[in-house]
Amino acid sequence: MDFLAGCAGGAAGVLVGHPFDTVKVRLQVQDVSKPLYRGTIHCFQSIIKQETTLGLYKGVGSPMMGLTFINALVFGVQGKTLRSLGKDTPLNQFLAGASAGAIQCVICCPMELAKTRMQLQGTGEYKSKSKHYKNSLDCLIKIHRKEGWRGINRGMVSTFLRETPSFGFYFLTYDYLSRSLGCEINDRFIIPKLLFAGGMSGIVSWLSTYPIDVIKSRLQADGIGGVNHYNGILDCVKKSYAIEGWRVFTRGLTSTLLRAFPVNAATFATVTLFLMYMRGDTTMSECDAGPALQQPNSL
């Protein structure tokens, strides 16, 4: 039941947050010498004007496809690791979350690669009269045919470097806030408290590793059109910094933080209502981290 609730909550989070993620990716990878967008608001307006509202949901199929598997890995690994460590301490919360983040990269990386390619299709330097990819699955199939498994896992190292500490900070922050706010079963404000704890935890997790996310997006976008600009993570960091300075590592941060809170709020609300409905209760039977956690990635 908790697994199903987590999947439902994750789906709600994707639908709420994907438009912000599309804007984030567009801002992260645009050419600074001839930028298409002046900022977050201008990017939103341009996409809606040129591509309609559906343009904001380009690549949404990829995170939806991987949602069930990611939830299974994240919640299963986090819970198992925490129990194996024995004590529910802040350090163990971080380690359990980091373990979950590291393992789910095997699904997260290809999923985000397809999402990024779909989000960039038909824009700027990637613009073409015909769509190269029909959907996220078609995108992964074509990348595999051309580049093999290495192409499918493009950006795996940077994804690992982002997800591992990010999940650790997320679980740790959520545990701290939920305890500090006093998540008691009979508290009439338990749902707002959980929503707040989840939303703030999402913000903290993104702030902890955001520069790495910029590099990941650039590496996964690299090679579109047959042109490669980077030879790896360090080369991407050096070239990006040399051309744009330190601000390059904050590109798209505003849209990311605007997305983080409502995504997690939608997830927590959906999970809570799902469990209440399925159990036929008017109150939650427990207050634990399990299905109420939303992974802090492109979902």
Side-chain angles (χ1 to χ4, degrees):
M1 197 69 69
D2 288 342
F3 173 76
L4 292 176
C7 291
V14 170
L15 293 176
V16 171
H18 194 77
F20 293 97
D21 188 72
T22 298
V23 171
K24 179 204 73 171
V25 172
R26 296 278 183 96
L27 291 173
Q28 285 178 335
V29 304
Q30 69 174 344
D31 188 349
V32 68
S33 63
K34 44 182 179 180
L36 293 173
Y37 314 112
R38 296 190 296 271
T40 300
I41 296 177
H42 180 247
C43 186
F44 265 110
Q45 295 174 334
S46 299
I47 292 174
I48 293 175
K49 183 178 179 180
Q50 299 172 13
E51 306 169 48
T52 74
T53 305
L54 293 177
L56 294 170
Y57 283 92
K58 281 186 174 180
V60 72
S62 180
M64 281 296 185
M65 280 195 307
L67 185 64
T68 300
F69 302 103
I70 284 180
N71 275 274
L73 284 174
V74 169
F75 302 135
V77 172
Q78 192 271 345
K80 179 66 175 179
T81 303
L82 192 59
R83 286 190 294 272
S84 299
L85 292 172
K87 291 185 178 181
D88 183 5
T89 64
L91 176 59
N92 287 346
Q93 283 284 350
F94 181 88
L95 292 176
S99 298
I103 292 179
Q104 61 92 44
C105 286
V106 297
I107 295 176
C108 176
C109 181
M111 181 190 73
E112 292 203 357
L113 173 66
K115 174 187 66 64
T116 298
R117 295 293 177 92
M118 289 293 294
Q119 286 172 325
L120 295 175
Q121 184 168 252
T123 66
E125 60 189 290
Y126 314 112
K127 195 168 186 178
S128 61
K129 293 183 179 179
S130 60
K131 292 184 177 181
H132 187 59
Y133 307 121
K134 298 177 181 179
N135 50 52
S136 298
L137 181 59
D138 180 60
C139 176
L140 290 175
I141 292 174
K142 288 183 176 178
I143 292 175
H144 180 263
R145 286 176 179 172
K146 184 177 180 181
E147 305 175 49
W149 287 107
R150 186 174 182 177
I152 289 292
N153 291 291
R154 179 187 292 268
M156 178 62 78
V157 176
S158 55
T159 300
F160 176 84
L161 293 176
R162 182 196 70 177
E163 296 292 83
T164 303
S166 181
F167 270 78
F169 282 115
Y170 186 92
F171 278 82
L172 176 61
T173 304
Y174 174 76
D175 180 67
Y176 173 78
L177 288 177
S178 60
R179 292 176 188 271
S180 299
L181 293 172
C183 284
E184 300 295 336
I185 298 174
N186 297 322
D187 187 349
R188 61 184 295 189
F189 298 112
I190 185 173
I191 294 179
K193 286 180 179 180
L194 291 176
L195 291 173
F196 178 77
M200 292 305 298
S201 298
I203 290 176
V204 170
S205 68
W206 271 111
L207 287 174
S208 67
T209 59
Y210 190 77
I212 302 176
D213 183 67
V214 174
I215 299 304
K216 181 200 70 69
S217 293
R218 292 195 163 205
L219 289 174
Q220 290 187 326
D222 196 34
I224 297 180
V227 180
N228 289 284
H229 300 93
Y230 312 116
N231 294 319
I233 295 176
L234 292 179
D235 184 55
C236 181
V237 172
K238 291 178 181 178
K239 289 182 178 178
S240 297
Y241 179 77
I243 297 175
E244 304 175 55
W246 65 269
R247 290 183 180 276
V248 67
F249 302 113
T250 63
R251 290 262 291 269
L253 180 59
T254 300
S255 62
T256 299
L257 296 183
L258 286 174
R259 165 184 177 263
F261 199 97
V263 163
N264 287 278
T267 302
F268 275 81
T270 303
V271 168
T272 303
L273 293 174
F274 182 92
L275 290 175
M276 286 183 177
Y277 175 78
M278 295 303 292
R279 291 170 178 168
D281 298 329
T282 56
T283 58
M284 292 183 68
S285 61
E286 57 184 2
C287 176
D288 66 281
L293 291 171
Q294 163 67 10
Q295 50 270 34
N297 56 25
S298 65
L299 297 185

